[in-house]
Amino acid sequence: LQVIGEDFEALRVLGRTNEDGIPANAIYVQSTLAVIFILSSTFESILVFAGFTLALNSFATVMGVFVLRWRQPELERPYRTFLYPIPPLIYLALTGWTLWFVLMNRPVEGLFGLGIIGSGLAVYAVSLIYVSYAYTGWNAATYLSSELENPQRTLPGILLTGTSVVMLLYIALNFVFLYAAPVDAMRGEVEVGYIAATAAFGELGGKFTGLVLALLLVSTVSAMTLAGPRVLQVIGEDFEALRVLGRTNEDGIPANAIYVQSTLAVIFIL
């Protein structure tokens, strides 16, 4: 939003920063929009809409690679896609199928996403307001990059390995779900893990699996409790007004940042 305000005179209020260089107006606008969307719709619809919008933006971005190479073939390219054009074509095919699936099964969210993208032709990147809803932690390793000895060398491998492992586990888990339980039993249901476990192991096995899945959520909370405050810590190190967030205790732990994030999390939950 700040960059949009800097580029478009009509929205220059969004590009203004306070004395500490923080785009306060943009933060207020985004926070207000987030609250409006949460209060005016279900969280599931917001996630579907945000995922569709993000996927559509990503689809256009990757398509732009082909357009750029066609229009400016002589342009210097310090980075080249491995096995080009096979990976981008595979990505476009899978993302295109995903977009079509959402449009057919969730037309309201899909058409609303198309409307947002269409209106963004005049003011680009409007849909990026909702991108934050679509991230679920695959990039959390970047939050700890300041604690790595050689992040330029190790971080790409960490992200690639972590994303690949999660992708394979996710595909395997969904295969098990589809193999163990009939599709009709899971259609429209949220607790598909419980349904699949009940079909495979009976009622008792289903309850035990549901308990295990619930406990796994604790690990997600624990992971973000470790990774999330590092972002606040770096903000505190960069901005003098928020330097209290950048302080660490004698063990090097950003305790203040952890307290602030935990407090905000509890407030949002309540």
Side-chain angles (χ1 to χ4, degrees), residues 35 67 162 249:
V35 171
V67 175
N249 60 19

Side-chain angles (χ1 to χ4, degrees), residues 108-151:
V108 174
E109 292 85 351
L111 292 175
F112 191 62
L114 286 176
I116 289 293
I117 297 298
S119 63
L121 293 177
V123 182
Y124 66 86
V126 171
S127 61
L128 293 181
I129 299 171
Y130 317 104
V131 167
S132 59
Y133 290 112
Y135 287 92
T136 54
W138 64 268
N139 60 332
T142 59
Y143 302 163
L144 308 175
S145 59
S146 62
E147 300 184 19
L148 298 177
E149 292 185 358
N150 189 356

Side-chain angles (χ1 to χ4, degrees), residues 44-109:
E44 180 187 4
S45 296
I46 294 174
L47 287 178
V48 173
F49 163 71
F52 180 89
T53 307
L54 176 64
L56 188 56
N57 274 288
S58 302
F59 185 91
T61 301
V62 175
M63 181 65 71
V65 174
F66 291 96
V67 175
L68 187 63
R69 292 203 173 197
W70 173 57
R71 290 186 175 182
Q72 301 183 36
E74 73 286 350
L75 189 67
E76 181 180 356
R77 294 179 169 85
Y79 176 80
R80 295 182 179 275
T81 303
F82 182 68
L83 294 179
Y84 179 88
I86 296 176
L89 288 176
I90 294 176
Y91 178 86
L92 290 176
L94 293 176
T95 306
W97 178 86
T98 301
L99 294 172
W100 177 257
F101 182 86
V102 173
L103 282 173
M104 293 296 101
N105 292 274
R106 302 294 292 266
V108 174
E109 292 85 351

